[in-house]
C-alpha cells in the first residue's frame, strides 16, 4: 500500500519536533491540507463552552503537546 499524498517518511524520521512530525506524517495521513489545518481541527479553542461539565486543565509550561501560553 502506498503512503498518502504528502506523507514524507524521510522527513518523519528526521523530525526533531512534534510540529515537524505532524507536518510530515499526521496531517497528510488524515487528509489535512497542512499542519495548521490539522491543529485547528484538533483544537478545543472555541469549543470549551460546549463541555457539559466543568473542566480544569493543567499542563506544564514546557509540555511539547500543549503550549505554555493559553490560546483560548
Amino acid at each position: 500500500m502506498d503512503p498518502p499524498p504528502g506523507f514524507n517518511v524521510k522527513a518523519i524520521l528526521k523530525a526533531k519536533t512534534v510540529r515537524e512530525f505532524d507536518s510530515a506524517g499526521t496531517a497528510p495521513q488524515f487528509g489535512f491540507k497542512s499542519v495548521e489545518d490539522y491543529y485547528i481541527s484538533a483544537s478545543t479553542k472555541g469549543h470549551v463552552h460546549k463541555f457539559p461539565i466543568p473542566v480544569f486543565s493543567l499542563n506544564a509550561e514546557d509540555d511539547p503537546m500543549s503550549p505554555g501560553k493559553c490560546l483560548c
Side-chain angles (χ1 to χ4, degrees):
M1 176 166 28
D2 292 331
F7 195 85
N8 187 333
V9 176
K10 288 181 183 180
I12 290 169
L13 295 174
K14 287 182 177 180
K16 300 226 185 297
T17 66
V18 173
R19 185 179 191 88
E20 289 174 0
F21 179 88
D22 286 342
S23 182
T26 309
Q29 179 179 6
F30 294 102
F32 291 95
K33 297 180 289 188
S34 65
V35 71
E36 290 81 12
D37 186 40
Y38 166 60
Y39 287 162
I40 289 168
S41 175
S43 175
T44 58
K45 184 177 180 179
H47 300 284
V48 174
H49 69 280
K50 298 176 187 174
F51 292 179
I53 59 171
V55 174
F56 177 77
S57 176
L58 178 69
N59 66 285
E61 187 171 2
D62 63 350
D63 183 340
M65 302 304 283
S66 180
K69 180 180 175 187
C70 180
L71 303 175
C72 305

